[in-house]
Structure formats: structure tokens, C-alpha cells
Amino acid sequence: MNTDATPAQDARKELSEFRGRLIGPNDADYDDERAVYNAMIDRRPALIARCAGPDDVAEAIGFARNHDLLVAVRGGGHNGAGLGTVDDGVVVDLSGLNGVEVDPEARTARVGGGCTWGEVDSATHEHGLATPSGIISTTGVGGLTLGGGLGHLTRKHGLTIDNLLEAELVLASGEHIRASAEEHPDLFWAIRGGGGNFGVVTSFLFGLHEVDTVVAGPTFWPVEAAEEVLSAYREFLPNAPRELNGFFAFHTVPPAPPFPEEIHLRKVCGVVWCFLGGEEDAGEAMAPLLEAVPEPLMHGVAPLPYPALQSMFDGLYPPGDQWYWRADFVKEIPDEAVEIHARFGAEMPTMKSTMHMYPIDGAVHDVTATDTAWSYRDAVWASVFAGVDPDPANVDVIRRWSVDYMEALHPFSAGGAYVNMMMDEGQERVRASYRDNYDRLAEVKGRYDPGNAFRVNQNIQPKA
Ligand SMILES: Cc1cc2nc3c(=O)[nH]c(=O)nc-3n(C[C@H](O)[C@H](O)[C@H](O)COP(=O)(O)OP(=O)(O)OC[C@H]3O[C@@H](n4cnc5c(N)ncnc54)[C@H](O)[C@@H]3O)c2cc1C
């Protein structure tokens, strides 16, 4: 009989103070518990430590250290590269840290490190308030925030990190600390863009803005009009008021309401809008683009409660699809790049594959490249080329399209990419994405995680 205990069995014996749940490969629900959003990622951790609070986080990290096991930290589990899980290591699962406390007077929200944005948006919306985040409600607050955070409110209110006031962390040593402009400012600088490299964030404090009903939705044109629409869009967007966010996209129209039947499954290019203000002002703000291009197939813009916009894409992109994506920052879109976009847009390999070009100008440019770790304050768009399909048989075709599309456009890019939309692409790519901030990040890493305990991420190598 094999008497060797598994890590999960050891953990149950050793972590007597652990209040959450310890899950191992012999548990009946192990397969459900180890699954992450991207079904292309199929990792088998030795232990999933579902933490109930910061003390559990410290216990789980200590256990991994004592047993020489790799640690992965899972917030919402949405990372495309699967950086919220690890083979044979310990997954520190934060899904139990999901409280949201809104202070409407102070206009702040204290948010558990394992919350999803849907949980945050619904709590803040009760007070007509919101903080900038991403465009799908099941995405985790943890990963999205620590990597930067861009979405529908970016042009007006900046990146998610630009609205972060403080964070509470458990370090690799097990110590609990707070990072803010006053406390551990070096760490506070680093976690605003530097990812989960420095510790496990157990709670975030965000500033909130008045955002209630927005005027939002997509405008679609035939994919054949892509060159004309994108050429007009690249001139229009940087001059539009900050209240207007509009990301350029390629999609295939889903075969379901609210889309008119005659355009179901049609490949389109489009802009997904979010205007902070009334309908009339929204119309005026969008007019210069709409008047410069042919009639759209659909102009689906209407007043919506903000959380309805935030979950608009949830039905199209549920957990469990295969995802492969590449990304780049972009400062300008020359004619050659417009042509390349039009070609790859017309060749989208599956119904769910897509390209989004998120604006990162406006309020993002009010912060300098060295104020936070997020270096690309001079870029105007963050592009992502996402091959998506439910069928694992299509993995090669979606990967090929995404890689070819990105590589064709890379010569016209700013050099690096948004770390939250990268696969596991190696150290050079990580360095390129932090540029001059990389060395400072490496120093901070050397102070807070000298042994690189947190290395299942877009890794910053610690400097001694
Ligand atoms: C469908 C989809 C839509 C998206 N839309 C957007 C968007 O609109 N805007 C945008 O900016 N990004 C977007 N993203 C990218 C997203 O920001 C990243 O995938 C991010 O990593 C997800 O965070 P998570 O907590 O869900 O991921 P996880 O897989 O749980 O974690 C990702 C990384 O963050 C670390 N991490 C997570 N939580 C913590 C924590 N509390 N403390 C320390 N480290 C932590 C993990 O260790 C890991 O390295 C989207 C992703 C998907 C799949």
C-alpha cells in the first residue's frame, strides 16, 4: 500500500486553523473546482485552498513554501494564459473573499480580493456610482485591477488603477500590510500595473464616480466597409469628448435577439459605445463619425443601466470556451494597418472570434508613464486579437488567426502589450510591456518577494 500522503492530505493535517475549504484531486468536485474560464487551460493543482480570509491566505502560502510547491493566485480565473492556476502546485482561491462595502458619502467601495466585477457593479449601482473596470461581468477584480483595467469608462475616469486608493495584501512572508500613497508607497506604485507579482491582495479600496444610466450599445457596418469605417474612426475617436467611449471591433452577429434576423451570422465591423450623459448629447457626440461613413446595418444605441452594459457580452462569452489571444498597444493606425485589419476582420475563423481596439486616451493620459507601473500612457489604443470557440477541435485555427493577425500588425504597434491580454509569451515581452518601469518593478519585487514566490504571472524577476 502506498502510504505517501498527498499535499491535500498533508494540508488537512497541518492547516488546523484554516477556515475555508481544502480541495484535492480525490475530491468529487475537483474537476469543477480546478476549471478556469479559458477551457484551453487544463491544469491539475495538488491543492486548491479556498480561503475564507487573509489568515487563510497566509496559511496557504506558508504551506506551499514549506512543501516547496508553486503558488498560483486565483481571483476571477479569467486570465487568458491561465495564470490563476498551476499544475502540481497550490491554488490560492480567493472566491470566498467577495464582500463589497460601498460608502456613498465618501464615494468609495471596499472590495474583496476575489470579487467579480458583476458583484461590484451591482453594489455600487444601488447608489448611482461606479468605478472603471472591464466589459464582462464575470471577470475578476483582482487580476484586472493589478494589470491596469480598461473598459467603457476609461476615457472619462481612467484605468481601474487610477481609481485605486489602497490595497491590503498578504506578502510571501505571510505578513499582512496596507499599500497606499502614504503606506508602502513603493508597493502601491508597483501593484498599479505590475500584476500579482508582489503579494495577494485581499481587499481593494476604489474611488467611485456618478455613473447611473448610460447611452450605450453597438453600431455595426458590413465587414466590407471596414477600411472606410476604421479610417474615419481613427481620426474621430481622439477628438471625441471624454464622456464618449467607443471601441472599434470585428464581430460576427450572434444569431439571437436583440439582433435583427437579417444580419444574424453576418461578419461586421463596429463601434461599441458608452456615453456618460443624455441621449441628445450622445447623438451629437457620435454624429461626426456616423455622418462620415455609410449607413450602418444596425445602430443599437439606447439608454441602459450601467450594469446592463457591463454584462452585455456575458451571454456571448460564458466560461468554458477555448480562448487564444494576442495584444499590442497602438499609437496610430496608418493606412497599411487599416488594410491589414480589414483583411483579418473578413477572415475571422469562428463565430465568437473577435478583435477589440480599446481607447486608452483621455483621462489615461492625465497620469504620467512613471506615476504608476503601467507604462504605456502615450498609447491611444490597446488592441486584442481573440480567437474564441467552444470546440477544442478548432484550437489550431483560432490560435493561427490570432497570432498571424497580431504579427502582421506588430510593426505598426507601440512595442509592448497590455499584460492582462497576453498569453505566456516570455520575459522579453513582459519587459517590453513595462519599458523603463521594469527595473524599478524588479527592485520593488526584490524588497517584497525576493524569492519570487509569486511567479505564476507575467513575471517580474526580483533584483537583489
Ligand atoms: C472574456 C474576458 C474579457 C475581458 N475583458 C477585459 C476588459 O474589458 N478590460 C480589461 O482590462 N481586461 C479584460 N480582460 C482581461 C482580464 O483583465 C485578465 O484576464 C485578468 O487577468 C483577469 O483577472 P482574474 O482575477 O479574473 O484572473 P485570474 O486568472 O484569477 O488571475 C490572473 C492573474 O492575476 C493574479 N491575481 C488575481 N487576483 C489577485 C489578487 N487578489 N491578488 C494578487 N494577484 C491576483 C493571478 O495570480 C494571476 O497572475 C478580460 C478577460 C476575459 C477572459
Side-chain angles (χ1 to χ4, degrees), residues 52-371:
D55 290 339
D56 281 359
V57 172
E59 292 247 320
I61 295 170
F63 177 83
R65 186 179 52 244
N66 294 340
H67 289 261
D68 210 11
L69 296 168
L70 270 178
V71 178
V73 180
R74 188 163 78 200
H78 256 233
N79 190 271
L83 298 174
T85 185
V86 63
D87 275 328
D88 305 321
V90 175
V91 170
V92 177
D93 175 357
L94 302 177
S95 58
L97 279 69
N98 62 352
V100 183
E101 284 166 41
V102 181
D103 181 340
E105 303 289 302
R107 293 206 177 172
T108 58
R110 191 168 290 284
V111 173
C115 275
T116 61
W117 281 108
E119 290 166 332
V120 178
D121 286 337
S122 76
T124 59
H125 186 67
E126 281 180 28
H127 306 278
L129 300 170
T131 203
S133 65
I135 65 159
I136 292 201
S137 77
T138 52
T139 309
V141 171
L144 180 136
T145 302
L146 297 169
L150 35 105
H152 295 295
L153 304 183
T154 305
R155 295 191 77 233
K156 178 70 178 166
H157 296 302
L159 300 173
T160 306
I161 49 171
D162 300 336
N163 296 275
L164 181 64
L165 303 174
E166 66 178 47
E168 286 171 3
L169 295 97
V170 176
L171 302 181
S173 61
E175 193 187 344
H176 300 230
I177 64 169
R178 180 177 299 138
S180 68
E182 287 78 36
E183 295 177 72
H184 300 284
D186 55 344
L187 181 60
F188 189 54
W189 175 85
I191 61 170
R192 286 177 294 162
N197 270 285
F198 308 93
V200 180
V201 177
T202 52
S203 88
F204 296 92
L205 184 70
F206 293 109
L208 303 174
H209 305 274
E210 265 180 43
V211 177
D212 195 346
T213 298
V214 295
V215 182
T219 305
F220 289 147
W221 293 266
V223 76
E224 295 76 18
E227 283 193 44
E228 208 173 335
V229 176
L230 183 53
S231 301
Y233 170 86
R234 72 182 169 188
E235 309 300 329
F236 161 80
L237 193 274
N239 296 305
R242 288 182 176 196
E243 285 70 24
L244 184 65
N245 206 88
F247 68 82
F248 183 86
F250 286 114
H251 271 284
T252 303
V253 179
F259 303 104
E261 245 180 84
E262 61 275 17
I263 61 168
H264 282 180
L265 295 177
R266 200 153 160 185
K267 283 183 181 163
V268 291
C269 64
V271 176
V272 180
W273 305 102
C274 172
F275 183 76
L276 303 174
E279 263 186 285
E280 209 178 307
D281 290 341
E284 264 175 43
M286 294 169 195
L289 178 71
L290 298 177
E291 285 164 9
V293 296
E295 271 297 290
L297 293 169
M298 172 185 166
H299 183 58
V301 173
L304 287 177
Y306 178 67
L309 171 65
Q310 289 292 88
S311 50
M312 187 180 264
F313 284 96
D314 288 10
L316 181 59
Y317 295 118
D321 286 339
Q322 317 283 313
W323 280 72
Y324 191 92
W325 61 13
R326 287 288 175 98
D328 255 329
F329 286 124
V330 175
K331 289 187 194 169
E332 50 195 19
I333 310 169
D335 289 345
E336 298 98 304
V338 169
E339 278 169 34
I340 294 168
H341 274 295
R343 176 154 54 85
F344 280 91
E347 289 171 1
M348 275 182 295
T350 59
M351 202 276 277
K352 293 189 179 197
S353 293
T354 184
M355 191 285 302
H356 287 179
M357 200 186 283
Y358 300 108
I360 45 171
D361 60 339
V364 181
H365 289 195
D366 294 344
V367 178
T368 74
T370 52
D371 286 345

